[in-house]
Amino acid sequence: MKFQPRASHFIDGEYVEDTNGAAIEVIYPATGEVIARLHSATPAIVEKALNSAKNAQAAWAALSGTERGRILRRASDIMRERNYDLSVLETHDTGKPFQETTVADATSGADALEYFGGLAASLTGEHIPLGGGDFVYTIREALGVCVGIGAWNYPTQIACWKGAPALACGNTMVFKPSETTPLSALKVAEILVEAGAPKGVYNVIQGYGDVGASLVSDPRVAKVSLTGSVPTGRKVYAAAADGMKHVTMELGGKSPMIVFDDADIENAVSGAILGNFYSSGQVCSNGTRVFVQKGIKEAFLKRLSERLDHAKIGDPMDEDVSFGPMVSENQMNITLGYIEKGKAEGARLVYGGERIERDGYFVQPTVFADVTDNMTIAREEIFGPVMSVLDFETEEEVMARANDTEFGLAAGVFTNDLTRAHRIVAGFEAGTCYINTYNLAPVEAPFGGSKMSGVGRENSKLAINHFSEMKTVYVSMNDVEAPY
Ligand code: NAD
C-alpha cells in the first residue's frame, strides 16, 4: 500500500508498532480504497509514549528559547520543501482537493512552526518593582507533558497548531490524531526529529476515543488541547478537570454570516462559498447560517447558484478539481440525513441535495432557502456542504437571531456601511469575527470559540499563555517584620 507508514506510532524518536491494538483502516474517501492499515495504541504503547514525553521534558525546557526556536523553524523549512508530498498524503487521508491541501495544510503547519519558532527566544517573565526596594520577578515555565487530540478535517494543521506553541514553551507532547486521518501527524513527528528535536519531545500515537481518554486521565499529563465536537469536548474537559489540568478546547460551531443589502454581492457570495463549501463544508468555523436581507435575497441566491455551477467536482488529486468527497461514509450519511430533515421540515432546496453517483463519498454542494430559526438544519452543526439561507429585515432582529445559538465559534458580516460593520461585530457572541470576508485563520491572530464552542485560544501570542505558567518570586531587600 502506497501510503502505509513504517509503523502506527512514533515514540521516542522512532516508529513503533504493537499489532495487538485494534485495527484502524485508512480509506481514500474519493474511491473507498484502503490505503493503509494501522493499529490503535495498546496500554503498553500509551505508557511508552507518556514515559518518553515525561523523560524528555526537563532537558528540552532547559535549552534556550533560541535553540528550541531554531529547531521549530528548521522543521518549518523542511515542511515547506516537502509540501508537494505532504499535500498528496493529506489529500489521500482526508479526500480534500489537492488544490486546497497544497495551500492550506502543510503550509499552515509550517506557518505555525515558523511563528512559534520565532517567538520562542522572546518568551520571558517580568520584573515588578515594589516599595522599599523589594521586588518580584516572574519566571515563565513550561507546563510539562501536553496531550494534543485532533479532529479529521485538518490533520497536519492541527498537529502543528498544538505542537508548535507547546514545544516553543518547553513542553513535550503526545499527539493523538483522529482515527479517521492518522497519517500526516506521523510525518510532522518525523520532520521535527529530522530538524533536531530530541527524542520524546513530540510523540504520535494512534487510537480511537478510548486512547484519547486514557491520555487525558493520566497524572503525568499537565495539559490537554482538543480539537473536536462539543460532546467530546464536554467529556474531555470534565476528565481534565478531575486532574486540575490546563485545557484548550477547539470545538464545533453553527456560525452566522450576515449579508446586508448594501453589501457587494459578488464578495458576499464568495464569502458564503468559502464559508460553506471549502473542504466540502467540513470546517469548524463555517458560516452555515447565512442571513440575507430581504431586498437582495433572490439576487444573492441566483448568483450563488450560478457560481456553484462552476465548482469542479471529481478526483481530488486532479489539480482543477475544487470540490471533493466527504471524509468518510459515516460523515456522508450524517450529511444526507440532515438534507432529508431540511426537506421534511419545509426548507426550500435551491441547489444540490443529493449524493453524487460515483465511487467515494461525494455529496453535492447544497443550498436551502427560506430556512427558519427552529429548523434542525439551522440549529445543529452538520459538518458537510449544506448552506442554510435565512431572511431578515432589520439589524436589531438579525443580531438577536445570529446570537441565538449555544455555539460561538465564528461570525461574519458583509456590508459597505463602516459603522454598522463594527457595531455588528461588537454585538457578535463569537471568538473569531469577519468583516467583508470569511474563514481566514492566519497564525498571527488568535483563533477559538466562545460559549459551547470552546475554551482558550490557539495561534498568536495568546497561545503562549495556554502552554506556560508564571512562577512568582518575591525578593525582599529588607529585614523580615514578624508580629512576635
Ligand atoms: P470528535 O469529537 O468525534 O473527535 C475528536 C477527537 O477526539 C478524535 O481524535 C477522537 O478520537 C477523540 N476522542 C473521542 N472521544 C474521546 C474521549 N472520550 N476522550 C478523549 N478523546 C476522545 O470530532 P471529529 O468528528 O473528529 O471532528 C469534527 C468536529 O471537530 C466538529 O464538531 C468540528 O466543528 C470540530 N472542529 C473544531 C475545530 C476548531 O478549531 N474549533 C477545528 C476542526 C474541527
Side-chain angles (χ1 to χ4, degrees):
M1 273 178 287
K2 198 169 152 203
F3 296 98
Q4 181 70 33
R6 261 181 279 154
S8 300
H9 320 288
F10 192 96
I11 303 174
D12 215 35
E14 57 190 28
Y15 276 97
V16 180
E17 190 56 275
D18 182 347
T19 52
N20 291 320
I24 296 176
E25 286 199 329
V26 190
I27 290 168
Y28 182 34
T31 60
E33 173 198 356
V34 177
I35 57 166
R37 286 201 168 85
L38 307 182
H39 293 275
S40 182
T42 55
I45 288 288
V46 172
E47 191 59 23
K48 194 173 165 65
L50 287 170
N51 273 338
S52 168
K54 183 81 189 163
N55 293 338
Q57 199 261 320
W60 176 244
L63 292 181
S64 71
T66 307
E67 289 169 306
R68 287 197 301 272
R70 192 180 302 138
I71 291 167
L72 297 181
R73 284 184 292 105
R74 212 180 279 142
S76 162
D77 291 344
I78 300 174
M79 278 195 103
R80 285 192 212 287
E81 281 159 21
R82 301 208 185 132
N83 184 41
Y84 178 83
D85 287 347
L86 293 168
S87 304
V88 169
L89 180 68
E90 191 81 325
T91 287
H92 282 82
D93 215 2
T94 61
K96 295 191 292 182
F98 180 79
Q99 195 186 87
E100 289 187 17
T101 55
T102 194
V103 296
D105 290 278
T107 53
S108 157
D111 284 352
L113 291 162
E114 186 173 357
Y115 177 84
F116 288 105
L119 273 188
S122 62
L123 303 180
T124 58
E126 61 179 344
H127 171 265
I128 305 166
L130 302 168
D134 286 7
F135 62 94
V136 160
Y137 66 93
T138 57
I139 305 172
R140 185 179 289 281
E141 293 190 334
L143 301 174
V145 175
C146 299
V147 161
I149 300 177
W152 41 256
N153 57 346
Y154 282 83
T156 309
Q157 182 186 89
I158 294 171
C160 294
W161 279 20
K162 299 189 189 309
L167 269 50
C169 292
N171 304 284
T172 54
M173 176 160 272
V174 177
F175 184 79
K176 188 202 85 62
S178 164
E179 58 272 30
T180 310
T181 53
L183 299 178
S184 27
L186 292 167
K187 293 291 172 197
V188 174
E190 263 184 49
I191 287 171
L192 278 163
V193 165
E194 211 176 313
K199 293 174 176 181
V201 162
Y202 188 87
N203 308 280
V204 173
I205 66 172
Q206 309 297 345
Y208 297 94
D210 60 326
V211 172
S214 71
L215 289 171
V216 174
S217 61
D218 192 278
R220 281 165 289 193
V221 172
K223 150 126 201 171
V224 180
S225 178
L226 168 78
T227 297
S229 61
V230 170
T232 303
R234 270 207 185 92
K235 284 188 227 162
V236 172
Y237 200 175
D242 204 41
M244 213 56 82
K245 298 178 202 299
H246 296 251
V247 295
T248 301
M249 294 281 144
E250 291 291 349
L251 309 177
K254 189 76 196 176
S255 301
M257 179 186 298
I258 303 176
V259 183
F260 284 96
D261 56 15
D262 66 346
D264 178 308
I265 285 213
E266 220 46 42
N267 279 336
V269 168
S270 296
I273 288 172
L274 285 181
N276 282 272
F277 302 120
Y278 202 72
S279 300
S280 293
Q282 302 163 117
V283 180
C284 52
S285 48
N286 272 356
T288 47
R289 290 183 296 138
V290 183
F291 292 92
V292 182
Q293 206 163 15
K294 273 200 167 152
I296 55 159
K297 175 184 159 185
E298 290 310 326
F300 177 90
L301 288 173
K302 179 167 175 287
R303 197 58 197 123
L304 178 63
S305 298
E306 287 166 3
R307 297 269 301 271
L308 287 175
D309 283 342
H310 294 287
K312 183 139 194 273
I313 303 173
D315 173 3
M317 277 309 300
D318 175 344
E319 291 192 24
D320 290 332
V321 163
S322 53
F323 186 90
M326 309 215 51
V327 74
S328 64
E329 187 170 15
N330 184 39
Q331 198 58 31
M332 176 186 73
N333 288 333
I334 291 171
T335 303
L336 292 171
Y338 276 110
I339 291 173
E340 287 316 308
K341 272 190 194 143
K343 292 178 189 164
E345 292 178 17
R348 172 164 62 103
L349 183 66
V350 294
Y351 202 90
E354 305 285 339
R355 179 175 181 180
I356 297 170
E357 286 312 324
R358 54 176 293 150
D359 285 346
Y361 315 124
F362 289 81
V363 177
Q364 291 175 327
T366 297
V367 180
F368 283 106
D370 304 341
V371 176
T372 56
D373 296 348
N374 292 327
M375 288 182 185
T376 310
I377 55 169
R379 302 220 66 83
E380 296 181 12
E381 181 182 49
I382 298 173
F383 227 57
V386 184
M387 181 195 297
S388 293
V389 177
L390 303 94
D391 307 344
F392 78 94
E393 289 184 35
T394 69
E395 184 179 323
E396 295 70 32
E397 167 211 341
V398 77
M399 194 76 252
R401 291 170 60 201
N403 285 334
D404 181 20
T405 165
E406 60 169 353
F407 299 107
L409 190 54
V413 56
F414 282 84
T415 177
N416 278 330
D417 180 336
L418 198 64
T419 49
R420 175 160 65 191
H422 292 289
R423 202 164 52 233
I424 290 279
V425 292
F428 275 146
E429 296 169 359
T432 306
C433 297
Y434 298 97
I435 297 176
N436 291 336
T437 188
Y438 205 82
N439 254 0
L440 303 172
V443 69
E444 297 86 350
F447 181 83
S450 312
K451 295 158 82 176
M452 293 303 285
S453 291
V455 175
R457 293 293 179 264
E458 295 198 299
N459 290 344
S460 81
K461 285 179 260 182
L462 285 186
I464 296 300
N465 288 332
H466 296 291
F467 279 104
S468 59
E469 64 187 353
M470 286 302 188
K471 177 181 276 174
T472 300
V473 183
Y474 188 112
V475 181
S476 172
M477 303 293 283
N478 300 289
D479 290 336
V480 179
E481 283 178 27
Y484 50 85

